[in-house]
Each structure stands twice: as C-alpha cells, then as structure tokens.
Amino acid sequence: MGALTLRRGRDAAPVEEVHEDILQYLTFQLSGETYAIGILSIKEILEYTTLTQVPLMPAFIRGVMNLRGAVVPVIDLAVRFGRSETGISRRTCVVIIEVNCEDMQQYIGILVDAVHEVLAIRAADIEPPPQFGSRIRVDFISGMAKVDNRFVVLLDVEKVLSVEEMAALSSLGGNELPDVREAETQ
C-alpha cells in the first residue's frame, strides 16, 4: 500500500498517496512486430558480428559468439517462433540476456531486427496473454502492454530461452516447430 501523508491547511486528514508499479522493458523489432523484454534480464546490446556456426544444432541456434572470452549461443528468435530466419541488416542487433539454469547464470544472445527503446509501462497497462490467436506459443508471452493505443508483446524470457528445453531440442537435433526455411522452398 502507499504511504500516508498529511495535508497542510484546513484539511489535516491523512491522505493515501498513490504509488504505481512501473516496469521497464526494452522494445525491439522482429519480423515486423514489436516485442519487449524486462530490462532486468538484459546485460547488453551489441551490433551484429559474424557468428561461428555449430554443426547439428537446431535451426533457431544461429551460432556462438565470443563475449569477452565466454562462448555465448545466439538464438534467432524469429526461427524460435516458427518464422523465417532473421535477415542481417545494419540495424540487426544481438541482445545479451542473463537466464537461470540449474541455479547458475547463463548468457544467451538473441538476434533481433532492430532495438527501439526502453519503455516504462504501468503494471495496470499490462493485460494477460491471449489464450489463442497469437503468432507465437502462448507460454512464451508474459503479457500484452498497452502503449500508445497499440499492444506490445511482453516475452517471458525464462520460457522463450529455457536452457533445459533448448538442450533437449538440441539432443533431438531439431526444433519444436518445423523448419520454416524448408517449408518455404517446397
């Protein structure tokens, strides 16, 4: 609850202050849509550089990069969502995210078309995820934020970048969704 303050003057009755929960999210573009991730998970944003490809990985793992001596896998979110591979342009970025894996911190890069801005979103402006009609798995969505008369999809980083799920998919040698690149060529 909010703190109590006293009014000065004739009305000396206590009045409850309103403290709104404001959450900050980094917004980015992916396949023509705007998504957002809570800034507390984000470690840094890098310009795209050539990645080292790793054989026999699922299609959504574009490769690995060297981040100050650490090997960081880079996930193509578009492919993870069942879409075409992200095209590389001058605005393409790798967003480094910190995720929890068995009580350890793991860095994972996500490839996005472009990074936009950090938005401060009131908790009251966040709706629950839709139960149907979404273009990505519903469990990947933590909420829908109303921003300037439009919705921004808020991603659940722990689900989208679940190290356990991605490791299981890697051991199967595939993706949970059909490879879009193969479907487009047929």
Side-chain angles (χ1 to χ4, degrees):
M1 282 294 222
L4 292 178
T5 58
L6 294 178
R7 282 184 157 176
R8 305 215 183 252
R10 283 191 228 160
D11 263 328
V15 176
E16 190 169 325
E17 279 184 19
V18 178
H19 291 287
E20 295 184 53
D21 289 330
I22 306 280
L23 306 167
Q24 293 188 322
Y25 291 87
L26 175 72
T27 59
F28 57 89
Q29 196 75 22
L30 186 67
S31 299
E33 294 184 37
T34 303
Y35 295 92
I37 292 177
I39 63 165
L40 296 179
S41 301
I42 297 170
K43 292 301 157 201
E44 56 189 298
I45 301 166
L46 306 170
E47 286 183 312
Y48 177 81
T49 60
T50 305
L51 303 174
T52 302
Q53 293 193 355
V54 180
L56 303 176
M57 286 289 118
F60 62 84
I61 299 178
R62 284 287 281 265
V64 295
M65 66 184 300
N66 180 350
L67 182 65
R68 292 181 290 285
V71 176
V72 176
V74 177
I75 307 301
D76 188 334
L77 273 189
V79 177
R80 179 89 166 116
F81 294 165
R83 299 190 183 136
S84 298
E85 196 174 81
T86 300
I88 305 303
S89 72
R90 63 180 181 79
R91 296 190 67 205
T92 304
C93 294
V94 176
V95 180
I96 305 297
I97 309 284
E98 185 176 19
V99 295
N100 294 317
C101 176
E102 299 173 0
D103 298 328
M104 293 176 47
Q105 301 298 339
Q106 170 79 38
Y107 290 120
I108 297 178
I110 58 171
L111 189 64
V112 300
D113 294 330
V115 170
H116 291 298
E117 62 185 327
V118 173
L119 291 178
I121 301 172
R122 295 180 325 137
D125 289 335
I126 298 175
E127 299 291 327
Q131 295 306 308
F132 59 89
S134 174
R135 296 183 66 192
I136 64 173
R137 284 179 24 189
V138 174
D139 63 324
F140 285 175
I141 304 172
S142 67
M144 303 293 289
K146 291 182 272 185
V147 178
D148 299 329
N149 296 322
R150 63 183 171 88
F151 280 104
V152 173
V153 178
L154 306 179
L155 297 176
D156 183 336
V157 172
E158 296 296 323
K159 298 268 175 61
V160 172
L161 301 177
S162 167
V163 174
E164 292 85 6
E165 181 180 330
M166 289 189 293
L169 292 169
S170 292
S171 69
L172 295 173
N175 193 343
E176 78 277 18
L177 299 170
D179 189 345
V180 176
R181 292 173 294 186
E182 289 177 358
E184 288 175 349
T185 59
Q186 295 177 356

